[in-house]
Amino acid sequence: MTNQNLVVHDVKSCINTIVEMAVSISNLPMLTSTEVPESLVVLDGIFGKKILKRIDDGGGKGGAKVNAWIDSMRASSPTRTKSSLPVSQDQHLSSWAIHHPSAINMFDQIINKSKDKQIIIFLDYDGTLSPIVADPDKAFMTKKMRATVKDIAKHFPTAIVSGRRRDKVYKFVRLAELYYAGSHGMDIKGPTKSQGSKKGNQAAPFQPASQFLPMINEVYKILLEKTKCVEGAKVENNKFCLSVHFRCVDEKSWGALAEQVRLVLNQYPKLKLTEGRKVLEIRPTIKWDKGKALEFLLRSLGFANSKDVFPIYIGDDRTDEDAFKVLRRRGQGAGILVSKVAKETEASYTLQDPSEVEQFLRRLVDWKRGSNESGRRVE
Ligand SMILES: O=P(O)(O)OC[C@H]1O[C@H](O[C@H]2O[C@H](CO)[C@@H](O)[C@H](O)[C@H]2O)[C@H](O)[C@@H](O)[C@@H]1O
């Protein structure tokens, strides 16, 4: 195939994609690529106002779904900060802040609640340990954060619970002494090196969605093909789930991109969708999430029904809410939401951004070191 052929092939497949989408929105009979009506090709950009308007008008049940996903993604990653909010929203924010105080300001209260209990630390990755960046492959944590997480793991059992695939999040964190729950908890593995010992943990990972692997790979390939015409769109294979990224896509094309995702998902009733920070996440319909992963890890650590445990879970995304809910239900520990803006949450406390997360974790390390030393002095 020559380069020219490749280009023609790509253009044709893009046109096909647009046509499929238009057909789905307008319920027109399916056309072949040679029958594409002028009005669909000469749109305002590839996904122009006409198609978007149909989605805004509702576009039937599908349109409503797409609009709901987009609203939810916007709510997960709001761009406004306190100062730019209208007064009524500003008041709302201050009352929210009263109900969800800073975990740094409430540090002593948190420590008092954990008295005589085993603290266990659960950390989300993106937006919690690393700042949100445009390129998901460049979401690195700072050296300072890594050193602090390393110190945290010396004093408390520590787990990373991420939507990312486990091997990818491990490459970012590179600490063998941690537990890792990748793919929203659908891939869990214990430390490969415990503190003070060089012995590795060879236990097989816990993977409750392993039978979905072929389906996820199939959908990944389809989505790559269907979204390649949308400038800035990115599909990430997280092994047991997929992420379709909207961050670098012009907002005018969000509806069209979400519609593509909906069309593909329609063919796979065993998959479902959740919304994150400018991302749509596709995953198996099994009843498993970050909350279940938290419970699984507590059980594995011997704290299934124990009152002697104090789990601290820190996360910034909607998917972390499942873990916050578990803590509320158990009436245990502390859920901490990382957010600068008011959001509906089951978390009890807040931290503004990853740098505050680092400060909070560092205080925990210092407190633990101090209490170990005073314990030794009393002996
Ligand atoms: O559970 P998490 O560890 O928070 O993972 C959730 C998703 O995080 C990543 O996407 C988010 O961070 C990116 C890098 O900062 C950003 O570009 C994107 O807009 C965010 O949604 C990750 O790439 C996804 O696969 C995860 O599902």
Side-chain angles (χ1 to χ4, degrees):
M1 215 184 237
T2 65
N3 279 350
Q4 219 175 6
N5 282 343
L6 271 177
V7 172
V8 171
H9 170 82
D10 266 16
V11 170
K12 269 194 175 168
S13 88
C14 277
I15 291 175
N16 272 338
T17 304
I18 299 165
V19 173
E20 279 168 29
M21 196 184 68
V23 167
S24 127
I25 296 165
S26 61
N27 289 327
L28 287 170
M30 183 58 93
L31 302 168
T32 65
S33 60
T34 48
E35 294 171 317
V36 180
E38 276 288 300
S39 58
L40 283 181
V41 183
V42 196
L43 286 172
D44 224 15
I46 288 189
F47 297 113
K49 280 177 194 149
K50 277 190 192 165
I51 289 180
L52 277 177
K53 186 149 188 324
R54 294 301 270 270
I55 295 172
D56 288 342
D57 286 343
K61 261 191 192 165
K65 203 182 246 182
V66 160
N67 288 338
W69 291 346
I70 291 176
D71 287 348
S72 177
M73 269 195 297
R74 285 212 179 97
S76 296
S77 219
T79 41
R80 284 197 226 154
T81 55
K82 186 178 174 179
S83 56
S84 61
L85 287 172
V87 178
S88 60
Q89 284 187 44
D90 233 10
Q91 279 162 352
H92 173 64
L93 182 61
S94 22
S95 101
W96 184 82
I98 291 167
H99 291 104
H100 303 90
S102 157
I104 293 178
N105 295 343
M106 304 306 278
F107 186 81
D108 293 340
Q109 187 198 74
I110 295 173
I111 292 304
N112 284 340
K113 283 189 188 170
S114 76
K115 201 165 183 281
D116 300 328
K117 295 184 174 142
Q118 170 68 57
I119 293 179
I120 303 183
I121 307 289
F122 295 89
L123 302 165
D124 165 55
Y125 185 74
D126 289 279
T128 297
L129 295 183
S130 70
I132 292 292
V133 291
D135 182 353
D137 294 332
K138 300 214 169 106
F140 306 113
M141 60 203 277
T142 59
K143 279 190 183 154
K144 194 174 176 188
M145 179 66 96
R146 185 167 178 274
T148 300
V149 175
K150 192 173 171 61
D151 282 347
I152 270 282
K154 283 182 193 153
H155 299 289
F156 312 100
T158 302
I160 307 283
V161 187
S162 172
R164 301 253 190 186
R165 54 187 300 147
R166 182 166 50 83
D167 54 354
K168 197 159 176 185
V169 80
Y170 182 81
K171 273 190 195 145
F172 280 131
V173 179
R174 288 176 296 110
L175 292 171
E177 53 270 46
L178 308 185
Y179 292 78
Y180 287 86
S183 308
H184 291 290
M186 288 179 283
D187 190 4
I188 305 183
K189 200 160 189 309
T192 43
K193 185 183 101 188
S194 42
Q195 284 295 341
S197 114
K198 283 201 172 115
K199 264 201 161 178
N201 164 8
Q202 296 311 321
F206 174 72
Q207 296 179 333
S210 51
Q211 75 272 27
F212 286 90
L213 210 49
M215 189 185 283
I216 292 286
N217 283 329
E218 185 178 304
V219 175
Y220 173 60
K221 284 185 201 140
I222 298 174
L223 279 173
L224 273 185
E225 183 63 28
K226 298 280 181 197
T227 59
K228 70 179 180 202
C229 318
V230 185
E231 208 186 317
K234 186 177 170 89
V235 187
E236 194 180 2
N237 189 335
N238 288 331
K239 191 161 182 172
F240 296 106
C241 50
L242 303 168
S243 291
V244 181
H245 289 279
F246 285 62
R247 187 163 298 276
C248 297
V249 175
D250 185 333
E251 283 214 28
K252 280 190 216 134
S253 302
W254 279 26
L257 180 56
E259 177 61 2
Q260 269 311 310
V261 175
R262 187 185 73 80
L263 287 176
V264 174
L265 213 63
N266 267 354
Q267 309 302 314
Y268 292 88
K270 291 203 168 132
L271 299 180
K272 65 177 176 186
L273 186 137
T274 51
E275 308 89 4
R277 300 184 67 171
K278 299 194 176 167
V279 72
L280 291 180
E281 293 165 313
I282 292 150
R283 43 167 139 173
T285 46
I286 59 164
K287 286 197 175 123
W288 199 264
D289 52 36
K290 288 183 172 185
K292 296 267 192 264
L294 183 148
E295 286 179 311
F296 175 90
L297 283 162
L298 288 177
R299 261 198 314 279
S300 313
L301 287 161
F303 294 103
N305 297 310
S306 173
K307 298 234 175 311
D308 303 331
V309 65
F310 194 84
I312 297 181
Y313 188 106
I314 312 182
D316 71 317
D317 217 339
R318 280 177 77 91
T319 57
D320 298 307
E321 291 297 326
D322 295 315
F324 297 146
K325 270 184 213 151
V326 167
L327 295 186
R328 283 227 178 243
R329 202 187 58 230
R330 291 172 69 113
Q332 255 177 352
I336 304 176
L337 175 73
V338 183
S339 178
K340 281 193 163 94
V341 295
K343 281 185 189 172
E344 217 178 291
T345 182
E346 295 284 334
S348 307
Y349 303 98
T350 51
L351 289 168
Q352 298 245 327
D353 50 31
S355 92
E356 282 205 3
V357 173
E358 193 278 328
Q359 283 174 49
F360 176 79
L361 294 176
R362 179 51 61 195
R363 263 188 92 171
L364 266 178
V365 171
D366 293 345
W367 163 78
K368 187 67 183 172
R369 279 185 183 147
S371 67
N372 282 351
E373 270 163 27
S374 61
R376 270 199 291 277
R377 275 201 298 274
V378 172
E379 282 161 29

